[in-house]
Amino acid sequence: MFNIKDPAIILVMYLDVVLLILTLLLLALVVIFRLRLDNQERGRERFMQVWQPVMDQSMYGLAQLVPRHSAIRIKPADTMNFLLLWNRLQEVLRGEVRENLNAIAHSAKIDAAVLKMLHKGNLSKRLLAINTVGHLRELSAWETLVDIVQENQNPILALTAARALARMDGEKATAVFVPLLVLHKEWPASHVVGILKELNLESFSRCLADAILRAVETDVPRLVRYLRFASGETALAVVHDVLHKYNNAEVLSACLYVIGEFGDRHNLGDVRNFAKHHSWVVRLQVAHVLGKIGTRDDIKILLELLTDREWWVRYRAANALSSLPFVTIAEIEQFRLVQSDTYASDALTQILVEKRLLV
Amino acid sequence: MIEWLGSFLQWFFIIYVLCMNLGYLTLNISSLLSILKYMQTRNFESFVGISADFMPPISILVPAFNEENTIETTVRSLLQLDYPQFEVLVINDGSKDRTLQTLIAAFDFQPFPEAYRVRVPIKQPIKGIYCSAEHVNLRIVDKENGGKADSLNAGINACRYPLFCCVDADSILQRESLKRVVKPFMEDPRTVASGGTVRIANGCTVKGGFLVNVSLPSNFLALVQIVEYLRAFLFGRLGWSPFNALLIISGTFGVFHKETVISAGAYRTDTIGEDMELVVRLHRHLRLTGKPYRITFVPDPVCFTEAPEDIKVLRNQRIRWQQGLSESLSVNIALLFNRRAGVVGWFAFPFMVIFEWMGPIIEFGGYLFMIVGLIFDMISLQGFMAFFILSVSLSMLISVTALMLEEMSFHVYKGVKNILLLFLVTIVENLGYRQLNSYWRLIGLYRWARGKEGKWGDMNRSGSWGQNQTHINKKTPGQFSS
């Protein structure tokens, strides 16, 4: 018989009380969160009512200074709202308009506030502060930003700092960033690209080329992929050297892709050599590049690739044939009719229909 | 003897309930830390754009069976997703209605002689492939009826990109959904699968296939399911993700690395829970072969789906889910306590077996024990009440922590009134609904044990949101809804 004196029941009753109190406390916390959020939302709306028109005017050069009216001064509680709005606009706008926004920020003395935020506060505040000093080209923050990139405590923080450096001085930032790019394999390419686009093209191309030629084989494919954001001339010179240095499929495929981006008929020799490479990934890239820069002499190679054992190579070869500007639909039809290989014929049939649908 | 048995059972149920909830609370802490970390960068990254240059192209697979009411709106909304390069493949799985004709008329589909290659065997043959003359990235694979898994396998064979995303034909996505779910693939090249949070669309307003306003439904069953989904996604899944031990990615919306899925054998056509089974098998395959990988969960609410508001439909759904779970775990039992299985085999899998797979037996047994004990005077009314309150308060605590995670992150449901309503639901669900759910799950378990083949049943979809602007307030889910 289990009654109220049973130790298990007593334990359960105590647990009941503790759990119910805990639940009610948590509920109270949830409600407090919600009320605080609603309050913040109202504050944000009030802020936007005042500041959105000011920002709009500043974009057209009509409000270079913060109006002196007390209602329009930035209160400490509104700093984050200001930074969010300001940074959002900076990210979508280009040219002179950005300078007008900078003038507004200086006038509102936001630069002093963000310099303090660089060192303290939570991650989201620091990210905003770093982005802001980048847009403002606040050179006094240079050393702090270099430290953040080099310490790399958090990849997003480090890459945001690198982007800010690139905005401040694209040439100097290249010397800081590229050697670190070689080291940090974990940096997501999708984030890195945004920085590369802000660097000085010539110095970045030179630095990356040096880094690739000195890199260990495992790092080469990753770095070669960034060559598409370098100058075409440097990129082609580097891939020419790399293609003769390695036989790694990943490296070759990355190099061929770069030739497809920048190359012309002068680079065809580098491409044709790999049409019979043992890796289908390389043969696929050959087909892709020949479709972009190939000549009539390459039709024979593409027809051979049409009978490749890998579906993707056949499909890309058919695509390449159809994209060569001097090959007509009638010619492709003719290639299809004379094909003894069923797979090649299927690939061409599909491409012909795709072409017709696109027309 | 009876006294001894009663005492044993009593302590067994107490320890079981405590262990289960301790497990959930641990997951809760893990989720809390993940959410805090995630939210710190999410806002910033929403406007400091991630470059589209390295976003991998994605094939979106939409298996469809008798979807004539919703398919056009679904496809139109998919075509408007904010993503640089993707294709949409609708796999018409032998629909008996006008699904195919509706699509052909809406998007000017033409027969397409695709050089279709079979990399994954399929049960039912392909009847034809069509390509849209309006959208070159839109195709239909028309096949004989073979079920959802067979359709997805046909889609995998036809898709052209390295990642594929499976989407239910009645899913309502956000424009940013793909970008959010694909982010783990860009941040960590070891990622092989990624899923996002699925939310309940009942009560919400949909326009052009996209959600424009979120609010709570008036139907009690839908309300309860909102709390269930919050619990399931915000810590049931998010909690396991940092340990790379996530065992479920909802079939409603998930992104997978195609070659890895093919190497693991793609979708099994002989199971009813093909989505969970695939994820568990991916773990087994990759853990046991020692390949580095990540299966990740994104807490963002990326997909909304209509929940059943009809008790019969809900019953069938829960029976199917339990059957699917049982199949997924039993066929991958090799993962359990395998020395190479890591956190998945030593924690997540056993947790799933004890508290989810066997849960209904123990939970139902507990209710039975209490009632029998009360009737035969083995347990006092105070004791009965103490146990019952323990069960209710633990369930409430777990639900409220889910509400707190929601408030700390996405706060989708606005207003204090809504929070209090959801809290009320966390109390009321314990008075009948939870017990009923355990009973349905017990039936699912029984059906699995009997080897009875699971059927999705022939249900009609309301298609209420397939209009220009609709307030969703009822649901009869289609055959392929998860």
Side-chain angles (χ1 to χ4, degrees):
Chain A
M1 182 81 68
F2 310 110
N3 54 43
I4 198 115
K5 286 177 188 156
D6 190 296
I9 305 289
I10 294 168
L11 171 71
V12 168
M13 285 168 74
Y14 275 117
L15 275 172
D16 289 347
V17 175
V18 171
L19 288 171
L20 283 172
I21 291 171
L22 210 58
T23 305
L24 289 173
L25 280 175
L26 273 177
L27 177 69
L29 205 61
V30 171
V31 173
I32 290 167
F33 274 151
R34 166 59 62 179
L35 292 172
R36 207 183 70 167
L37 193 79
D38 288 347
N39 198 28
Q40 282 173 351
E41 189 56 33
R42 279 193 295 274
R44 202 186 70 84
E45 278 168 19
R46 277 196 301 271
F47 171 85
M48 292 299 278
Q49 276 171 7
V50 176
W51 277 94
Q52 186 72 59
V54 176
M55 293 283 188
D56 290 347
Q57 284 173 15
S58 80
M59 284 191 271
Y60 301 106
L62 300 173
Q64 299 257 328
L65 296 170
V66 176
R68 298 217 169 270
H69 192 275
S70 64
I72 224 156
R73 309 300 303 177
I74 300 173
K75 297 168 200 151
D78 281 336
T79 307
M80 285 301 281
N81 283 328
F82 179 91
L83 289 177
L84 277 169
L85 175 65
W86 188 86
N87 277 285
R88 267 181 208 282
L89 290 170
Q90 282 281 10
E91 292 298 324
V92 292
L93 298 170
R94 293 286 173 271
E96 197 192 337
V97 185
R98 281 178 160 185
E99 294 307 319
N100 296 340
L101 284 172
N102 284 356
I104 278 280
H106 285 301
S107 167
K109 298 193 169 48
I110 207 73
D111 40 356
V114 290
L115 283 172
K116 280 183 202 159
M117 278 166 65
L118 282 179
H119 303 279
K120 58 180 185 181
N122 62 27
L123 183 60
S124 55
K125 282 186 180 172
R126 288 184 77 195
L127 285 170
L128 265 181
I130 291 170
N131 208 48
T132 309
V133 293
H135 282 299
L136 290 172
R137 294 189 295 281
E138 187 60 57
L139 286 170
S140 61
W142 181 271
E143 288 306 322
T144 308
L145 294 180
V146 170
D147 288 346
I148 293 172
V149 183
Q150 286 174 340
E151 282 166 16
N152 190 39
Q153 283 173 346
N154 176 314
I156 303 294
L157 197 70
L159 291 170
T160 307
R163 197 172 188 185
L165 289 174
R167 281 178 176 143
M168 287 180 190
D169 186 336
E171 182 126 19
K172 254 174 87 181
T174 305
V176 176
F177 184 64
V178 175
L180 292 171
L181 182 62
V182 179
L183 286 177
H184 292 293
K185 299 177 180 72
E186 79 283 6
W187 282 353
S190 50
H191 289 65
V192 168
V193 170
I195 301 159
L196 303 187
K197 287 177 178 171
E198 304 268 358
L199 295 174
N200 175 284
L201 184 67
E202 285 313 312
S203 50
F204 163 63
S205 307
R206 212 174 37 246
C207 264
L208 184 63
D210 286 348
I212 290 170
L213 295 174
R214 280 188 279 114
V216 292
E217 191 172 345
T218 47
D219 284 337
V220 174
R222 180 172 59 89
L223 297 173
V224 167
R225 282 185 202 112
Y226 294 127
L227 276 175
R228 56 201 264 213
F229 305 99
S231 79
E233 201 183 332
T234 314
L236 287 171
V238 174
V239 295
H240 179 79
D241 289 352
V242 173
L243 281 171
H244 290 89
K245 197 171 166 188
Y246 302 104
N247 192 29
N248 172 329
E250 216 187 334
V251 175
L252 299 180
S253 157
C255 288
L256 290 168
Y257 186 89
V258 173
I259 295 179
E261 289 289 294
F262 297 115
D264 58 23
R265 290 170 186 205
H266 298 101
N267 307 101
L268 279 170
D270 282 341
V271 182
R272 289 168 183 155
N273 285 340
F274 298 100
K276 288 194 164 76
H277 195 270
H278 61 85
S279 163
W280 69 267
V281 181
V282 177
R283 298 197 301 275
L284 179 130
Q285 243 358 293
V286 169
H288 172 72
V289 180
L290 291 182
K292 283 186 156 186
I293 60 171
T295 64
R296 278 218 164 264
D297 296 340
D298 297 305
I299 292 176
K300 194 173 163 238
I301 298 174
L302 287 172
L303 287 173
E304 277 172 26
L305 290 173
L306 265 180
T307 61
D308 198 279
R309 59 185 177 276
E310 174 60 38
W311 187 94
W312 273 110
V313 180
R314 298 198 295 271
Y315 178 69
R316 281 277 172 245
N319 248 316
L321 273 172
S322 74
S323 58
L324 287 170
F326 45 82
V327 176
T328 61
I329 289 190
E331 267 181 289
I332 299 174
E333 186 68 52
Q334 194 56 37
F335 294 145
R336 189 180 70 87
L337 289 172
V338 297
Q339 277 299 331
S340 54
D341 186 294
T342 326
Y343 293 117
S345 173
D346 285 350
L348 285 171
T349 308
Q350 180 176 333
I351 289 300
L352 281 167
V353 176
E354 271 182 8
K355 277 217 135 187
R356 274 187 216 119
L357 281 173
L358 278 171
V359 173
Chain B
M1 177 66 187
I2 291 176
E3 186 128 337
W4 178 86
L5 184 70
S7 179
F8 169 78
L9 284 174
Q10 176 181 276
W11 281 105
F12 172 77
F13 290 125
I14 292 174
I15 290 166
Y16 178 85
V17 170
L18 286 179
C19 286
M20 179 170 74
N21 287 283
L22 205 67
Y24 282 135
L25 286 174
T26 311
L27 285 179
N28 215 350
I29 292 166
S30 161
S31 303
L32 187 72
L33 296 174
S34 301
I35 285 248
L36 284 174
K37 193 175 161 201
Y38 185 78
M39 295 310 288
Q40 291 220 329
T41 54
R42 183 184 182 266
N43 202 10
F44 179 72
E45 288 187 312
S46 70
F47 63 89
V48 178
I50 294 168
S51 173
D53 292 287
F54 281 96
M55 281 191 189
I58 298 185
S59 300
I60 301 173
L61 309 184
V62 190
F65 177 75
N66 293 348
E67 307 280 357
E68 64 177 4
N69 291 333
T70 55
I71 196 69
E72 186 186 338
T73 315
T74 301
V75 172
R76 285 204 192 283
S77 68
L78 289 176
L79 290 169
Q80 290 174 58
L81 285 175
D82 180 18
Y83 199 78
Q85 196 183 358
F86 66 95
E87 62 172 358
V88 178
L89 262 98
V90 181
I91 304 105
N92 180 42
D93 191 43
S95 294
K96 294 174 188 137
D97 65 356
R98 292 182 52 78
T99 302
L100 183 65
Q101 291 80 351
T102 306
L103 283 169
I104 288 174
F107 300 98
D108 190 10
F109 275 101
Q110 307 286 332
F112 185 66
E114 173 134 345
Y116 183 83
R117 60 175 179 163
V118 181
R119 299 196 64 202
V120 180
I122 50 170
K123 265 194 334 192
Q124 296 299 332
I126 305 289
K127 290 198 282 186
I129 294 177
Y130 300 81
C131 184
S132 165
E134 286 175 12
H135 305 273
V136 280
N137 63 337
L138 174 60
R139 284 179 291 154
I140 303 175
V141 177
D142 184 30
K143 66 184 280 291
E144 298 285 356
N145 183 261
K148 185 176 178 181
D150 200 43
S151 301
L152 287 167
N153 285 342
I156 291 172
N157 285 332
C159 70
R160 296 177 181 177
Y161 295 139
L163 301 182
F164 73 85
C165 171
C166 49
V167 175
D168 274 351
D170 64 338
S171 295
I172 301 160
L173 305 182
Q174 307 285 73
R175 270 181 224 280
E176 294 277 315
S177 295
L178 267 188
K179 273 188 178 172
R180 294 213 183 277
V181 179
V182 91
K183 212 170 141 245
F185 287 90
M186 294 191 292
E187 289 176 350
D188 189 341
R190 295 171 302 171
T191 306
V192 297
S194 162
T197 302
V198 178
R199 294 286 178 94
I200 300 288
N202 304 47
C204 304
T205 312
V206 178
K207 193 177 178 184
F210 288 104
L211 213 68
V212 288
N213 183 42
V214 180
S215 47
L216 290 176
S218 51
N219 179 281
F220 171 71
L221 286 180
L223 271 172
V224 178
Q225 288 172 83
I226 284 179
V227 178
E228 283 183 323
Y229 271 56
L230 282 179
R231 281 196 302 250
F233 284 92
L234 278 183
F235 65 81
R237 298 189 191 179
L238 185 60
W240 287 116
S241 184
F243 306 107
N244 196 24
L246 176 69
L247 287 175
I248 309 174
I249 286 179
S250 170
T252 307
F253 187 73
V255 177
F256 296 87
H257 184 255
K258 186 172 73 178
E259 289 304 320
T260 310
V261 169
I262 290 173
S263 69
Y267 287 97
R268 275 180 79 127
T269 52
D270 57 352
T271 168
I272 199 167
E274 75 294 323
D275 47 358
M276 181 181 177
E277 198 284 323
L278 175 68
V279 178
V280 181
R281 183 150 36 88
L282 281 174
H283 276 294
R284 179 164 63 95
H285 174 70
L286 295 164
R287 287 271 178 187
L288 303 192
T289 51
K291 287 182 188 151
Y293 74 101
R294 296 269 329 155
I295 294 179
T296 310
F297 184 77
V298 179
D300 282 273
V302 288
C303 177
F304 286 74
T305 187
E306 286 182 71
E309 292 188 353
D310 175 87
I311 198 129
K312 262 172 97 178
V313 180
L314 183 66
R315 172 185 179 273
N316 290 340
Q317 185 195 53
R318 295 308 156 99
I319 291 172
R320 282 198 312 266
W321 282 3
Q322 191 64 27
Q323 237 181 310
L325 175 103
S326 309
E327 286 168 354
S328 305
L329 295 179
S330 60
V331 297
N332 293 292
I333 202 78
L335 200 55
L336 186 66
F337 300 130
N338 188 298
R339 66 185 173 86
R340 306 186 75 174
V343 179
V344 185
W346 289 85
F347 292 96
F349 202 100
F351 186 89
M352 215 56 153
V353 169
I354 298 168
F355 300 119
E356 297 292 337
W357 190 11
M358 294 301 144
I361 298 176
I362 297 164
E363 208 173 317
F364 210 75
Y367 292 131
L368 213 64
F369 166 74
M370 300 297 271
I371 294 165
V372 170
L374 192 67
I375 293 169
F376 291 100
D377 216 18
M378 288 161 65
I379 190 165
S380 64
L381 186 64
Q382 295 98 320
F384 176 85
M385 287 310 292
F387 274 109
F388 184 71
I389 294 170
L390 175 73
S391 155
V392 173
S393 48
L394 277 169
S395 152
M396 275 165 57
L397 181 66
I398 300 288
S399 301
V400 174
T401 49
L403 283 179
M404 193 177 73
L405 286 174
E406 162 69 0
E407 273 311 294
M408 289 172 68
S409 52
F410 307 106
H411 25 82
V412 167
Y413 305 102
K414 311 282 180 208
V416 175
K417 210 175 109 187
N418 282 339
I419 291 171
L420 294 176
L421 179 61
L422 289 175
F423 177 67
L424 193 68
V425 170
T426 67
I427 303 171
V428 179
E429 71 166 333
N430 291 287
L431 310 173
Y433 175 82
R434 212 176 132 183
Q435 292 73 12
L436 202 58
N437 207 0
S438 292
Y439 173 62
W440 292 333
R441 288 170 63 201
L442 205 60
I443 297 174
L445 207 54
Y446 172 73
R447 287 194 184 170
W448 164 78
R450 287 279 309 271
K452 202 170 171 183
E453 196 183 337
K455 286 203 174 92
W456 287 93
D458 201 11
M459 290 177 280
N460 296 317
R461 198 187 306 286
S462 70
S464 59
W465 58 272
Q467 320 301 321
N468 194 24
Q469 178 162 335
T470 320
H471 182 76
I472 297 173
N473 54 13
K474 59 179 180 179
K475 158 85 172 174
T476 43
Q479 190 178 11
F480 283 164
S481 299
S482 295

